[in-house]
Amino acid sequence: AGLAGAPFSTRNADAFEAFGKALRAPDAASAIALLERATAADPGFTNASLRLALLWQRAGQPERAVAETERLL
C-alpha cells in the first residue's frame, strides 16, 4: 500500500499515548524517544513516523530521517 494507504492515526493505545506525550515533550530528545516508542508499538503509525523523521532531520541526522521515511514505503 505504501504511504498513500497508510493510516495517519492508530488504534494502538500505547502508540497513541506515546505520540501524545511526544507532542508535549519538553525537548527534541524526549520527543524522539517517545516517537520511537510509538512507532515500535505500531509500525504503521504514519503520523508518528513522519514527525520522528522531521525531528531526526532537525537534529542533524538526515540519514536517520531518510531511513524512517523509507521504512513507510
Side-chain angles (χ1 to χ4, degrees):
L3 188 57
F8 273 80
S9 191
T10 182
R11 292 184 177 170
N12 182 298
D14 293 334
F16 188 77
E17 179 182 1
F19 181 74
K21 288 180 178 179
L23 295 179
R24 297 182 308 275
D27 54 61
S30 298
I32 286 170
L34 287 160
L35 290 169
E36 287 182 321
R37 195 169 100 199
T39 57
D42 181 356
F45 190 1
T46 304
N47 205 357
S49 291
L50 293 175
R51 286 180 183 267
L52 179 56
L54 176 64
L55 288 177
W56 279 130
Q57 183 68 31
R58 288 180 179 169
Q61 297 197 37
E63 66 288 342
R64 292 184 88 168
V66 169
E68 185 61 32
T69 305
E70 287 178 343
R71 189 184 63 72
L72 295 171
L73 302 178

Coordinates of all heavy atoms in Angstrom, one line a residue:
A1 N 0.8 -1.2 0.0 CA 0.0 0.0 0.0 C 0.9 1.2 0.0 O 0.5 2.2 -0.6 CB -0.9 0.0 1.2
G2 N 2.0 1.2 0.7 CA 2.9 2.3 0.7 C 2.3 3.5 1.5 O 1.3 3.3 2.2
L3 N 2.9 4.6 1.4 CA 2.5 5.8 2.2 C 1.0 6.2 1.9 O 0.3 6.7 2.7 CB 3.4 6.9 1.9 CG 3.3 8.2 2.8 CD1 3.4 7.8 4.3 CD2 4.4 9.2 2.4
A4 N 0.6 6.1 0.6 CA -0.7 6.5 0.2 C -1.8 5.8 1.0 O -2.9 6.4 1.2 CB -0.9 6.3 -1.3
G5 N -1.6 4.6 1.3 CA -2.6 3.8 2.0 C -2.4 3.7 3.5 O -3.1 3.0 4.2
A6 N -1.4 4.4 4.0 CA -1.1 4.3 5.5 C -2.0 5.2 6.3 O -2.4 6.3 6.0 CB 0.4 4.8 5.6
P7 N -2.3 4.6 7.5 CA -3.1 5.4 8.5 C -2.3 6.5 9.1 O -1.1 6.3 9.5 CB -3.5 4.4 9.5 CG -2.5 3.3 9.5 CD -1.9 3.3 8.0
F8 N -2.9 7.7 9.3 CA -2.2 8.8 10.0 C -2.5 8.7 11.5 O -1.9 9.4 12.2 CB -2.6 10.1 9.4 CG -1.8 10.5 8.2 CD1 -2.1 10.0 7.0 CD2 -0.7 11.3 8.4 CE1 -1.3 10.3 5.9 CE2 0.1 11.7 7.3 CZ -0.2 11.2 6.1
S9 N -3.4 7.8 11.9 CA -3.7 7.6 13.3 C -3.4 6.2 13.6 O -2.9 5.4 12.8 CB -5.1 8.0 13.6 OG -5.3 8.1 15.0
T10 N -3.7 5.8 14.8 CA -3.5 4.4 15.3 C -4.6 4.0 16.2 O -5.3 4.8 16.9 CB -2.2 4.3 16.0 OG1 -1.9 3.0 16.4 CG2 -2.1 5.2 17.3
R11 N -4.8 2.7 16.3 CA -5.8 2.2 17.2 C -5.0 1.5 18.4 O -5.7 1.0 19.3 CB -6.7 1.1 16.5 CG -7.6 1.7 15.5 CD -8.5 0.7 15.0 NE -9.4 1.4 14.0 CZ -10.2 0.8 13.2 NH1 -10.3 -0.6 13.2 NH2 -11.0 1.4 12.4
N12 N -3.7 1.6 18.3 CA -2.9 1.0 19.4 C -2.8 2.0 20.5 O -2.3 3.1 20.3 CB -1.5 0.7 18.8 CG -0.6 0.1 19.8 OD1 -0.3 0.7 20.8 ND2 -0.2 -1.2 19.6
A13 N -3.3 1.7 21.7 CA -3.3 2.6 22.8 C -1.9 3.1 23.3 O -1.7 4.2 23.6 CB -4.1 2.0 24.0
D14 N -1.0 2.1 23.3 CA 0.4 2.5 23.7 C 1.0 3.5 22.7 O 1.7 4.5 23.1 CB 1.3 1.3 23.8 CG 0.8 0.4 24.9 OD1 0.2 0.9 25.9 OD2 1.1 -0.8 24.9
A15 N 0.8 3.3 21.4 CA 1.3 4.1 20.4 C 0.7 5.5 20.5 O 1.4 6.5 20.4 CB 1.1 3.6 19.0
F16 N -0.6 5.5 20.7 CA -1.3 6.8 20.8 C -0.9 7.6 22.0 O -0.7 8.8 21.9 CB -2.8 6.5 20.9 CG -3.7 7.8 20.8 CD1 -3.9 8.4 19.6 CD2 -4.3 8.3 21.9 CE1 -4.7 9.5 19.5 CE2 -5.0 9.4 21.8 CZ -5.2 10.1 20.6
E17 N -0.7 6.9 23.1 CA -0.3 7.6 24.3 C 1.2 8.2 24.2 O 1.4 9.3 24.5 CB -0.3 6.6 25.5 CG 0.2 7.3 26.8 CD 0.2 6.3 28.0 OE1 -0.1 5.1 27.8 OE2 0.6 6.7 29.1
A18 N 2.1 7.4 23.6 CA 3.4 7.9 23.4 C 3.5 9.1 22.5 O 4.2 10.0 22.7 CB 4.3 6.7 22.9
F19 N 2.6 9.0 21.4 CA 2.6 10.1 20.4 C 2.1 11.4 21.1 O 2.6 12.4 20.9 CB 1.6 9.7 19.3 CG 1.5 10.8 18.2 CD1 2.5 11.0 17.3 CD2 0.3 11.5 18.1 CE1 2.4 12.0 16.3 CE2 0.2 12.5 17.1 CZ 1.2 12.7 16.3
G20 N 1.0 11.3 21.9 CA 0.5 12.4 22.6 C 1.5 13.0 23.6 O 1.7 14.3 23.6
K21 N 2.3 12.2 24.3 CA 3.3 12.7 25.1 C 4.5 13.3 24.3 O 5.0 14.3 24.8 CB 3.9 11.5 26.0 CG 3.0 11.1 27.1 CD 3.6 9.9 27.9 CE 2.6 9.5 29.0 NZ 3.2 8.4 29.8
A22 N 4.7 12.8 23.2 CA 5.8 13.4 22.3 C 5.4 14.8 21.9 O 6.3 15.7 21.8 CB 6.0 12.5 21.1
L23 N 4.1 15.0 21.6 CA 3.7 16.3 21.2 C 3.9 17.4 22.3 O 4.0 18.6 22.0 CB 2.2 16.3 20.8 CG 1.9 15.5 19.5 CD1 0.4 15.5 19.2 CD2 2.7 15.9 18.3
R24 N 3.9 16.9 23.5 CA 4.1 17.8 24.7 C 5.5 17.7 25.3 O 5.7 18.3 26.4 CB 3.0 17.5 25.7 CG 1.6 17.7 25.3 CD 0.6 17.4 26.4 NE 0.7 16.1 27.0 CZ 0.2 14.9 26.6 NH1 -0.5 14.9 25.5 NH2 0.3 13.8 27.2
A25 N 6.4 17.0 24.7 CA 7.7 16.8 25.2 C 8.4 18.1 25.4 O 8.3 19.0 24.5 CB 8.5 15.8 24.3
P26 N 9.2 18.2 26.4 CA 9.9 19.5 26.7 C 11.1 19.7 25.8 O 11.6 20.8 25.7 CB 10.4 19.3 28.2 CG 10.5 17.8 28.4 CD 9.4 17.2 27.5
D27 N 11.6 18.7 25.1 CA 12.8 18.8 24.2 C 12.7 17.8 23.1 O 12.0 16.8 23.2 CB 14.1 18.7 25.0 CG 14.2 17.5 25.9 OD1 14.1 16.4 25.3 OD2 14.2 17.6 27.1
A28 N 13.6 18.0 22.1 CA 13.6 17.1 21.0 C 14.0 15.7 21.3 O 13.5 14.7 20.8 CB 14.5 17.6 19.9
A29 N 15.0 15.5 22.2 CA 15.5 14.2 22.6 C 14.3 13.4 23.3 O 14.2 12.2 22.9 CB 16.6 14.3 23.6
S30 N 13.6 14.0 24.1 CA 12.4 13.3 24.7 C 11.4 13.0 23.7 O 10.8 11.9 23.7 CB 11.8 14.2 25.8 OG 12.7 14.5 26.8
A31 N 11.1 13.9 22.8 CA 10.1 13.6 21.7 C 10.5 12.5 20.8 O 9.7 11.6 20.5 CB 9.9 14.9 20.9
I32 N 11.8 12.4 20.5 CA 12.3 11.4 19.7 C 12.1 10.0 20.4 O 11.7 9.0 19.8 CB 13.8 11.6 19.3 CG1 13.9 12.7 18.2 CG2 14.5 10.3 18.8 CD1 15.3 13.2 17.9
A33 N 12.5 10.0 21.6 CA 12.3 8.7 22.4 C 10.9 8.2 22.4 O 10.6 7.1 22.2 CB 12.9 8.8 23.8
L34 N 10.0 9.2 22.6 CA 8.6 8.8 22.7 C 8.0 8.4 21.3 O 7.2 7.5 21.2 CB 7.8 10.0 23.2 CG 8.0 10.2 24.7 CD1 7.6 11.6 25.1 CD2 7.2 9.2 25.5
L35 N 8.5 9.1 20.3 CA 8.0 8.8 18.9 C 8.6 7.4 18.5 O 7.9 6.6 17.8 CB 8.4 9.8 17.9 CG 7.6 11.1 18.1 CD1 8.3 12.2 17.2 CD2 6.2 10.9 17.7
E36 N 9.8 7.1 18.9 CA 10.3 5.8 18.7 C 9.5 4.7 19.4 O 9.3 3.6 18.8 CB 11.8 5.7 19.1 CG 12.7 6.4 18.2 CD 14.2 6.3 18.6 OE1 14.5 6.4 19.8 OE2 15.0 6.2 17.7
R37 N 9.0 5.0 20.6 CA 8.2 4.1 21.3 C 6.8 3.9 20.6 O 6.3 2.8 20.4 CB 7.9 4.6 22.7 CG 7.3 3.6 23.6 CD 7.4 4.0 25.1 NE 6.1 4.5 25.4 CZ 5.8 5.3 26.4 NH1 6.8 5.7 27.2 NH2 4.6 5.7 26.7
A38 N 6.3 5.0 20.1 CA 5.0 5.0 19.3 C 5.2 4.1 18.0 O 4.3 3.3 17.8 CB 4.6 6.4 19.0
T39 N 6.2 4.3 17.3 CA 6.4 3.6 16.1 C 6.8 2.1 16.3 O 6.5 1.3 15.5 CB 7.4 4.2 15.1 OG1 8.7 4.4 15.8 CG2 7.0 5.6 14.7
A40 N 7.4 1.8 17.4 CA 7.6 0.4 17.8 C 6.3 -0.3 18.1 O 6.1 -1.4 17.8 CB 8.6 0.3 19.0
A41 N 5.4 0.4 18.8 CA 4.2 -0.2 19.2 C 3.2 -0.3 18.0 O 2.5 -1.3 17.9 CB 3.5 0.7 20.2
D42 N 3.4 0.6 17.0 CA 2.6 0.5 15.8 C 3.4 1.0 14.6 O 3.5 2.2 14.3 CB 1.3 1.3 15.9 CG 0.4 1.2 14.7 OD1 0.8 0.6 13.7 OD2 -0.7 1.8 14.7
P43 N 4.1 0.1 14.0 CA 5.0 0.4 12.8 C 4.3 1.1 11.7 O 4.9 1.8 10.9 CB 5.6 -0.9 12.4 CG 5.5 -1.8 13.6 CD 4.2 -1.4 14.3
G44 N 3.0 1.0 11.6 CA 2.2 1.6 10.5 C 1.6 3.0 10.9 O 0.8 3.5 10.2
F45 N 2.0 3.5 12.0 CA 1.5 4.8 12.5 C 2.3 5.9 11.8 O 3.3 6.4 12.2 CB 1.7 4.9 14.0 CG 1.1 6.1 14.7 CD1 0.3 7.0 14.1 CD2 1.2 6.2 16.1 CE1 -0.3 8.0 14.8 CE2 0.7 7.2 16.8 CZ -0.1 8.2 16.1
T46 N 1.7 6.3 10.6 CA 2.4 7.2 9.7 C 2.7 8.6 10.3 O 3.8 9.1 10.2 CB 1.6 7.4 8.4 OG1 1.3 6.1 7.9 CG2 2.3 8.2 7.4
N47 N 1.8 9.1 11.0 CA 2.0 10.5 11.6 C 3.2 10.5 12.6 O 4.0 11.4 12.6 CB 0.7 11.0 12.3 CG 0.6 12.5 12.4 OD1 1.5 13.2 12.0 ND2 -0.5 12.9 12.9
A48 N 3.3 9.4 13.4 CA 4.4 9.3 14.3 C 5.7 9.2 13.6 O 6.7 9.8 13.9 CB 4.2 8.2 15.3
S49 N 5.7 8.4 12.5 CA 6.9 8.2 11.8 C 7.4 9.4 11.1 O 8.6 9.8 11.0 CB 6.7 7.1 10.7 OG 6.6 5.8 11.4
L50 N 6.4 10.2 10.5 CA 6.8 11.4 9.8 C 7.3 12.5 10.8 O 8.3 13.2 10.5 CB 5.6 11.9 9.0 CG 5.2 11.1 7.8 CD1 3.9 11.6 7.2 CD2 6.3 11.0 6.8
R51 N 6.7 12.6 11.9 CA 7.2 13.5 12.9 C 8.6 13.1 13.4 O 9.5 13.9 13.7 CB 6.2 13.6 14.1 CG 5.0 14.4 13.7 CD 4.0 14.5 14.9 NE 2.9 15.3 14.5 CZ 2.7 16.6 14.7 NH1 3.6 17.3 15.2 NH2 1.6 17.1 14.3
L52 N 8.8 11.8 13.6 CA 10.1 11.3 14.0 C 11.1 11.6 13.0 O 12.2 12.1 13.3 CB 10.0 9.8 14.2 CG 11.3 9.1 14.7 CD1 11.9 9.7 15.9 CD2 11.1 7.6 14.9
A53 N 10.8 11.4 11.7 CA 11.8 11.8 10.6 C 12.1 13.3 10.6 O 13.3 13.6 10.4 CB 11.2 11.4 9.3
L54 N 11.1 14.1 10.8 CA 11.3 15.5 10.9 C 12.3 15.9 12.0 O 13.2 16.7 11.9 CB 10.0 16.3 11.1 CG 10.1 17.8 11.2 CD1 10.6 18.4 10.0 CD2 8.7 18.4 11.6
L55 N 12.1 15.3 13.2 CA 12.9 15.6 14.3 C 14.4 15.1 14.1 O 15.3 15.7 14.5 CB 12.4 15.0 15.6 CG 11.1 15.7 16.2 CD1 10.6 15.0 17.4 CD2 11.5 17.2 16.5
W56 N 14.5 13.9 13.4 CA 15.8 13.4 13.1 C 16.5 14.4 12.2 O 17.7 14.7 12.3 CB 15.8 12.0 12.5 CG 15.6 10.9 13.4 CD1 14.7 9.9 13.4 CD2 16.4 10.6 14.6 NE1 14.9 9.0 14.4 CE2 15.9 9.5 15.2 CE3 17.5 11.3 15.2 CZ2 16.5 8.9 16.4 CZ3 18.0 10.8 16.4 CH2 17.5 9.6 16.9
Q57 N 15.8 14.9 11.2 CA 16.3 15.9 10.2 C 16.8 17.2 11.0 O 17.9 17.6 10.8 CB 15.3 16.3 9.2 CG 15.8 17.2 8.1 CD 16.8 16.6 7.2 OE1 16.8 15.4 7.0 NE2 17.7 17.4 6.7
R58 N 16.0 17.7 11.9 CA 16.3 18.9 12.6 C 17.5 18.7 13.6 O 18.2 19.6 13.9 CB 15.1 19.4 13.4 CG 14.0 20.0 12.5 CD 12.8 20.4 13.4 NE 11.8 21.1 12.5 CZ 10.6 21.4 12.9 NH1 10.3 21.1 14.2 NH2 9.8 21.9 12.1
A59 N 17.6 17.4 14.0 CA 18.7 17.1 14.9 C 20.0 16.8 14.2 O 21.0 16.5 14.8 CB 18.4 15.8 15.7
G60 N 20.0 17.1 12.9 CA 21.3 16.9 12.1 C 21.6 15.5 11.8 O 22.8 15.2 11.5
Q61 N 20.6 14.6 11.7 CA 20.8 13.2 11.4 C 19.9 12.8 10.2 O 19.0 12.1 10.3 CB 20.5 12.4 12.6 CG 21.5 12.7 13.8 CD 21.5 11.6 14.8 OE1 21.4 10.4 14.5 NE2 21.6 12.0 16.1
P62 N 20.3 13.4 9.1 CA 19.4 13.2 7.9 C 19.3 11.7 7.5 O 18.3 11.3 7.0 CB 20.0 14.0 6.8 CG 21.4 14.2 7.2 CD 21.4 14.2 8.7
E63 N 20.4 10.9 7.7 CA 20.3 9.5 7.4 C 19.3 8.8 8.2 O 18.6 7.9 7.7 CB 21.7 8.8 7.5 CG 22.2 8.7 9.0 CD 22.7 10.1 9.6 OE1 22.9 11.0 8.9 OE2 22.8 10.1 10.9
R64 N 19.1 9.1 9.4 CA 18.0 8.5 10.2 C 16.7 9.0 9.8 O 15.7 8.2 9.8 CB 18.3 8.8 11.7 CG 19.5 8.1 12.2 CD 19.7 8.3 13.7 NE 19.0 7.2 14.4 CZ 19.1 6.9 15.7 NH1 20.0 7.7 16.4 NH2 18.5 6.0 16.2
A65 N 16.6 10.2 9.4 CA 15.3 10.7 8.8 C 14.9 10.0 7.6 O 13.8 9.6 7.4 CB 15.4 12.2 8.5
V66 N 15.9 9.8 6.7 CA 15.6 9.1 5.4 C 15.2 7.6 5.7 O 14.3 7.1 5.2 CB 16.8 9.1 4.5 CG1 16.7 8.2 3.3 CG2 17.0 10.5 4.0
A67 N 15.9 7.0 6.6 CA 15.6 5.6 7.0 C 14.2 5.5 7.5 O 13.5 4.5 7.2 CB 16.6 5.1 8.0
E68 N 13.8 6.4 8.4 CA 12.4 6.4 9.0 C 11.4 6.6 7.9 O 10.4 5.9 7.8 CB 12.3 7.4 10.1 CG 11.0 7.3 10.8 CD 10.7 6.0 11.5 OE1 11.7 5.4 12.0 OE2 9.5 5.7 11.6
T69 N 11.6 7.5 7.0 CA 10.7 7.7 5.9 C 10.6 6.5 4.9 O 9.5 6.1 4.5 CB 11.1 9.0 5.1 OG1 11.2 10.1 6.0 CG2 10.1 9.3 4.0
E70 N 11.8 6.0 4.6 CA 11.8 4.8 3.7 C 11.1 3.6 4.3 O 10.6 2.8 3.6 CB 13.2 4.5 3.3 CG 13.8 5.5 2.3 CD 15.3 5.2 1.9 OE1 15.9 4.4 2.7 OE2 15.7 5.8 1.0
R71 N 11.1 3.5 5.6 CA 10.5 2.4 6.3 C 9.0 2.4 6.0 O 8.4 1.3 6.0 CB 10.8 2.5 7.8 CG 10.3 1.3 8.6 CD 10.5 1.5 10.1 NE 9.7 2.6 10.6 CZ 8.4 2.6 10.7 NH1 7.7 1.5 10.4 NH2 7.7 3.6 11.2
L72 N 8.4 3.5 5.7 CA 7.0 3.6 5.5 C 6.6 3.2 4.1 O 5.5 2.8 3.8 CB 6.5 5.1 5.6 CG 6.6 5.6 7.0 CD1 6.3 7.1 7.0 CD2 5.6 4.9 8.0
L73 N 7.6 3.2 3.2 CA 7.3 2.9 1.7 C 7.2 1.4 1.5 O 7.6 0.6 2.1 CB 8.3 3.5 0.9 CG 8.5 5.0 1.0 CD1 9.6 5.5 0.1 CD2 7.2 5.7 0.7

